[in-house]
Amino acid sequence: MKINNKLIISTLVLSTFFSPTAVLAASGNDSAVAIGTVGAAQQIQALGLMTGDANGDFRSGEPMSRAEVAKMLCKLFSLQTEPVQGSFFADVDVNSENVAYIEAVHKAGLMIGDATSFRPNEAITGEEMAVILARGFHLKLEGKGTNLPVEEQTMISQWAQDSVRAVRELGFLKPGSNGLRQPLLRGDMANVLLLVVNQPVGEATIGDGSVTISGIRYGVTDSLQGVFQTSNANALKGAQFNFTRDGFKIAMLTSLELNQADSVLDGHNATGVGDLVVNAPMTVKNLNTHGTLQVQSTSFSAQDSSFGTVVLKGQNGNVVTFHATGNTHVDTLKTSEGKSSIQTDSDATIESLQLGDNSTEVELKGSVKNLVISAATHAKVKLVDGARIDAVTMPDNANLRDYIVDYDDVKANIPIVNNSSNPDNRPAYHAVNKKALNDTINGAVTWSLEIQVGTNPGQVPQSAHDDLQAAIEAAQTVANKKNASQREVNDATAALTQAIQTFRNAIIAAPDALTISLAPAAQFPLNSGLSGTSGDVLLTDDAGMVMTTTPLYNKRNIKNLIQVKRGATVEKLSYDAVNHDFIVSDPDNTTVGTVSLNTVSQDLQINSTGNGFTIHPLDAATEASSATIDFTLDKTDGSPSSTVSLPISFDQTAPTWTNGSYSNHVLTLTSNESIAIQFPEAPTVSVEYSQSGDFSDSQSLSQVNNDLTSVLVSGNTLSLQLTDTWLSNHTAGPNSKFRLTTNGYYDLAKNSPVSNVVTIDVSQF
């Protein structure tokens, strides 16, 4: 009867840190021939199973006595030796150094001798060693010898034939070996022992931090201690595993196959597991694998665990249910075939869900970061109980409705498609408003008609006139487009407004005329989706700005929006907290005018403060709203005032990190929009590196540890420089990755990215 703390190994294929040497092979003179014995001898000596002589000579070509084998077996199977007063065997000297070993192997049933004779000084033969191994591994022998080729049966003793055949099936003896009746040389024994250590078979007993397989005890490295606990004995019943070893210590599980239904395996945060196969409904928790998890049961639950790749494979038409709980993290989840049900709790993360070509139905409860649909995908995805897909990647000619069940009911929970806002998610009340665009077009036409082409004051060069005409035509194209989005309309309005200002700036003025115009590339994004004062922006001067190279959402400089010039000279602007306007000063600090702010928009409010103006989007504002800020220049010389208008761009669409890359010491994230931050919030980027690519070996990089130098924002890119010190201490492989997690970075309208986690592949530094 098997008890609960047994791990049954039915088929065990083992790999090792060492290169296994060949087993015994036949030769023409009926003697056993060892191949690669030098390597085997070195390894067996390192394991402490055999030793050389005082001169360090292993004596590979000499036979090994039965007494020496007894001592070796005690070491191999960790047999207890006790002081003896006599011996069971008449031919064993009670005062010999090997008597305790001989009594131990006899008691264990490994070497039983001939009646009362042990023959301690006789050389062990290959046949005898086959019988010993069969006993040690508790192999089933009945009738095995009848499977030997007829020509071999005459060359192997009758009493050994069953054992020889059984041991040969494990790969320890090659077919055709006819030297098994001859003494087994020490080099041959080293080969056999190495194969035994590398390929233990039979029943495994789990201790806390150790595994004993058919009497051979293996320790367990720290990264696997959590798996090999007696508390996991039930979950490991009937399991199969492959491992690499370092001496008599299991260094890594290259694969683990679990077969015990309705059990719980607690890895206690173990990290030394490669591939994992689950063949029965069960739960795994606190386990970090770096290979592929293949779920071939009807259900599987993962709690507080991490996996590189998970493959759900339906069996016999059954639904495969995958439930991620706690802080479980999955890089890639693949539905291989059949039907699948996927559920994630609030803190669990699935970075990517990939639909297999043979997958038919997928039910999603919870959320995934990205759904990948290939051209060959035929599966239907059903979102239930408020499930969400942050982003979808699919062929350009695909229709999302073909893959999402009841699409119209759940499309609001799929905000991004192919790195852009889901075009089907425009609310009915967000009807595209083209009034501001048409008004701007009319204003541009008026300017082009009223200002003559020429070289005198009040006229413009021909090139400026042509540029304005081209801008009018581009804007008119958008105005005539039936399916234009509000974003397209807003962008066209802003572009034409800038073109008008460029045209007005080109008007040839008198040398001493004071003029006001929009600054080059002036723009003013606001977030219409933020309530209360969270969407407010302070418009101030140089004195009110905090020094930063990164654009701020909630604090902006007046000089980046308008310019007041006398000829080609740009005058200074400073806020007047008493009169609540901006003072215009010439290079001699003489006041030459003031600039006041106003708006007539129903969705915008401008309030003066002690150090600038607060621009406040009202709660009624949407992306379809239209608004402008009017800047009026009043001149101290009494000449007429003049006004320029800056359009407001209302935006509440989340940006996307569209790309992550590594090149020449630099990690770069690219956004589909310009990057901004919030004052005084301190944005952060956490950087992790995994040489294996599954982050089971995750390392955190920081400026404090001299791993990184500067973090630089430029336009829509965020760059981090790796130091030579860090690079010189690390290497990259074909699967290596960086994982960057951003916090506090937005677009210019304070929208957070769809996902703040980006993974970057890096094969070499």
Side-chain angles (χ1 to χ4, degrees):
M1 175 182 295
K2 309 299 183 186
I3 58 178
N4 284 343
N5 67 338
K6 299 295 184 183
L7 173 62
I8 310 303
I9 312 297
S10 59
T11 302
L12 194 59
V13 180
L14 297 148
S15 57
T16 138
F17 282 137
F18 309 110
S19 299
T21 55
V23 297
L24 305 182
S27 68
N29 59 6
D30 290 344
S31 63
V33 179
I35 301 175
T37 54
V38 175
Q42 291 173 341
Q43 295 177 50
I44 290 303
Q45 289 183 91
L47 290 170
L49 297 178
M50 296 174 66
T51 60
D53 59 21
N55 296 322
D57 187 358
F58 187 72
R59 298 176 286 120
S60 297
E62 296 183 11
M64 194 169 184
S65 72
R66 289 172 54 83
E68 290 175 315
V69 172
K71 182 177 181 180
M72 177 201 71
L73 292 174
C74 287
K75 295 179 180 180
L76 178 64
F77 292 106
S78 302
L79 300 182
Q80 296 294 322
T81 57
E82 301 174 354
V84 296
Q85 302 301 318
S87 175
F88 177 84
F89 300 104
D91 59 351
V92 175
D93 184 353
V94 70
N95 295 315
S96 71
E97 62 177 350
N98 292 320
V99 62
Y101 302 119
I102 293 172
E103 294 303 310
V105 296
H106 177 257
K107 183 178 180 181
L110 295 176
M111 300 179 72
I112 59 177
D114 304 322
T116 59
S117 297
F118 187 79
R119 298 177 284 115
N121 297 320
E122 289 188 17
I124 195 83
T125 68
E127 290 180 333
E128 291 174 327
M129 196 62 200
V131 172
I132 291 171
L133 293 177
R135 291 170 180 167
F137 290 149
H138 305 288
L139 302 181
K140 294 181 179 180
L141 302 179
E142 186 176 357
K144 287 285 186 180
T146 60
N147 295 323
L148 285 170
V150 175
E151 63 271 15
E152 289 190 66
Q153 293 182 12
T154 60
M155 294 185 289
I156 300 173
S157 301
Q158 184 68 35
W159 53 266
Q161 288 183 6
D162 287 343
S163 296
V164 168
R165 178 64 185 184
V167 171
R168 178 175 293 167
E169 289 176 355
L170 297 177
F172 296 155
L173 296 172
K174 286 186 176 181
S177 295
N178 58 1
L180 297 182
R181 290 180 179 177
Q182 303 300 318
L184 193 63
L185 303 182
R186 289 172 59 84
D188 300 336
M189 181 65 78
N191 278 318
V192 173
L193 285 180
L194 189 58
L195 287 167
V196 167
V197 173
N198 288 343
Q199 297 180 209
V201 294
E203 191 175 85
T205 303
I206 301 173
D208 283 332
S210 69
V211 181
T212 302
I213 306 174
S214 290
I216 303 176
R217 184 182 183 279
Y218 296 83
V220 177
T221 192
D222 291 345
S223 65
L224 286 171
Q225 288 284 333
V227 174
F228 291 107
Q229 299 290 318
T230 55
S231 58
N232 285 327
N234 181 57
L236 292 172
K237 286 172 62 177
Q240 300 180 32
F241 59 87
N242 302 333
F243 64 84
T244 60
R245 67 172 179 83
D246 184 4
F248 278 111
K249 177 179 285 188
I250 296 177
M252 180 177 293
L253 290 182
T254 57
S255 69
L256 173 62
E257 184 172 332
L258 302 174
N259 299 296
Q260 184 65 13
D262 303 321
S263 61
V264 178
L265 178 74
D266 188 342
H268 300 92
N269 297 316
T271 59
V273 179
D275 294 336
L276 181 64
V277 178
V278 177
N279 293 322
M282 67 180 307
T283 296
V284 167
K285 62 181 183 179
N286 304 314
L287 183 67
N288 306 295
T289 70
H290 56 269
T292 297
L293 162 62
Q294 185 162 292
V295 179
Q296 300 182 151
S297 62
T298 55
S299 66
F300 177 77
S301 179
Q303 177 182 336
D304 296 319
S305 299
S306 67
F307 307 98
T309 300
V310 177
V311 179
L312 305 183
K313 188 174 182 180
Q315 299 289 312
N316 302 319
N318 294 322
V319 176
V320 181
T321 300
F322 179 83
H323 189 185
T325 68
N327 290 311
T328 292
H329 184 277
V330 178
D331 284 338
T332 302
L333 178 62
K334 299 180 179 180
T335 60
S336 175
E337 58 186 73
K339 302 177 180 179
S340 307
S341 177
I342 301 166
Q343 182 175 351
T344 64
D345 288 0
S346 58
D347 293 330
T349 303
I350 297 176
E351 296 290 344
S352 176
L353 171 60
Q354 298 182 7
L355 304 181
D357 296 348
N358 296 320
S359 180
T360 57
E361 298 178 17
V362 178
E363 180 184 72
L364 176 62
K365 300 178 181 179
S367 65
V368 297
K369 293 290 187 68
N370 188 38
L371 171 65
V372 179
I373 300 174
S374 69
T377 298
H378 300 288
K380 298 285 188 179
V381 181
K382 184 176 183 180
L383 278 63
V384 297
D385 298 336
R388 176 183 173 87
I389 300 172
D390 290 342
V392 173
T393 302
M394 64 181 188
D396 291 337
N397 59 350
N399 188 339
L400 195 53
R401 294 177 183 274
D402 295 336
Y403 302 97
I404 306 297
V405 177
D406 298 326
Y407 175 71
D408 287 332
D409 295 335
V410 298
K411 62 184 180 181
N413 294 338
I414 310 175
I416 302 295
V417 177
N418 288 344
N419 294 324
S420 298
S421 299
N422 187 343
D424 298 322
N425 276 341
R426 190 179 300 116
Y429 60 85
H430 275 194
V432 177
N433 186 343
K434 297 182 179 179
K435 182 179 184 302
L437 177 58
N438 289 323
D439 289 345
T440 305
I441 292 173
N442 292 334
V445 171
T446 299
W447 277 103
S448 69
L449 294 176
E450 289 185 351
I451 305 299
Q452 295 180 357
V453 174
T455 59
N456 298 319
Q459 297 178 331
V460 295
Q462 182 66 52
S463 60
H465 186 274
D466 294 342
D467 289 344
L468 181 58
Q469 286 299 123
I472 293 172
E473 292 174 5
Q476 191 64 58
T477 298
V478 175
N480 295 338
K481 185 178 178 181
K482 292 183 178 180
N483 60 344
S485 67
Q486 189 64 55
R487 172 63 66 84
E488 288 180 285
V489 171
N490 291 348
D491 289 347
T493 304
L496 184 56
T497 300
Q498 181 62 52
I500 294 172
Q501 189 58 52
T502 301
F503 178 83
R504 293 179 61 183
N505 291 346
I507 297 174
I508 300 170
D512 59 348
L514 196 65
T515 61
I516 184 172
S517 62
L518 295 181
Q523 57 176 319
F524 206 100
L526 276 181
N527 195 317
S528 53
L530 298 176
S531 59
T533 61
S534 59
D536 287 0
V537 171
L538 175 66
L539 183 54
T540 184
D541 56 12
D542 282 342
M545 291 296 295
V546 174
M547 296 300 294
T548 177
T549 59
T550 304
L552 304 176
Y553 171 78
N554 58 331
K555 187 178 284 190
R556 306 180 194 179
N557 199 325
I558 182 68
K559 72 177 184 180
N560 294 325
L561 302 180
I562 64 168
Q563 288 182 343
V564 178
K565 292 182 177 181
R566 187 178 299 279
T569 302
V570 178
E571 310 286 38
K572 293 185 294 185
L573 296 170
S574 57
Y575 183 67
D576 184 350
V578 177
N579 297 309
H580 302 297
D581 54 20
F582 287 97
I583 298 173
V584 182
S585 304
D586 64 15
D588 295 327
N589 290 324
T590 300
T591 299
V592 294
T594 59
V595 175
S596 59
L597 276 64
N598 189 33
T599 183
V600 295
S601 171
Q602 300 300 311
D603 295 316
L604 196 67
Q605 192 175 74
I606 299 178
N607 301 309
S608 59
T609 69
N611 55 357
F613 291 91
T614 297
I615 313 301
H616 172 66
L618 298 177
D619 291 343
T622 69
E623 283 191 319
S625 296
S626 175
T628 60
I629 300 177
D630 299 326
F631 298 89
T632 300
L633 171 64
D634 289 309
K635 308 166 190 177
T636 57
D637 62 6
S639 59
S641 61
S642 54
T643 300
V644 293
S645 298
L646 176 66
I648 300 298
S649 175
F650 289 108
D651 177 14
Q652 57 192 73
T653 300
T656 302
W657 293 117
T658 57
N659 184 46
S661 63
Y662 169 82
S663 178
N664 194 26
H665 293 43
V666 177
L667 295 168
T668 302
L669 298 184
T670 303
S671 172
N672 64 336
E673 296 186 52
S674 295
I675 300 171
I677 62 174
Q678 173 84 356
F679 178 84
E681 179 181 316
T684 61
V685 183
S686 68
V687 183
E688 301 169 87
Y689 174 67
S690 170
Q691 185 176 8
S692 66
D694 60 11
F695 294 96
S696 61
D697 54 348
S698 177
Q699 303 177 33
S700 295
L701 283 68
S702 70
Q703 291 179 282
V704 175
N705 296 332
N706 194 31
D707 302 326
L708 303 167
T709 56
S710 60
V711 179
L712 176 65
V713 172
S714 177
N716 63 343
T717 62
L718 174 64
S719 302
L720 299 91
Q721 177 89 29
L722 299 177
T723 64
D724 291 336
T725 300
W726 188 91
L727 288 169
S728 65
N729 292 326
H730 294 80
T731 57
N735 300 315
S736 301
K737 290 181 174 64
F738 286 98
R739 184 163 62 197
L740 279 61
T741 304
T742 62
N743 183 50
Y745 288 97
Y746 311 94
D747 64 10
L748 295 177
K750 199 185 174 183
N751 294 296
S752 299
V754 171
S755 172
N756 65 342
V757 179
V758 180
T759 302
I760 299 175
D761 295 328
V762 53
S763 59
Q764 63 181 5
F765 296 135

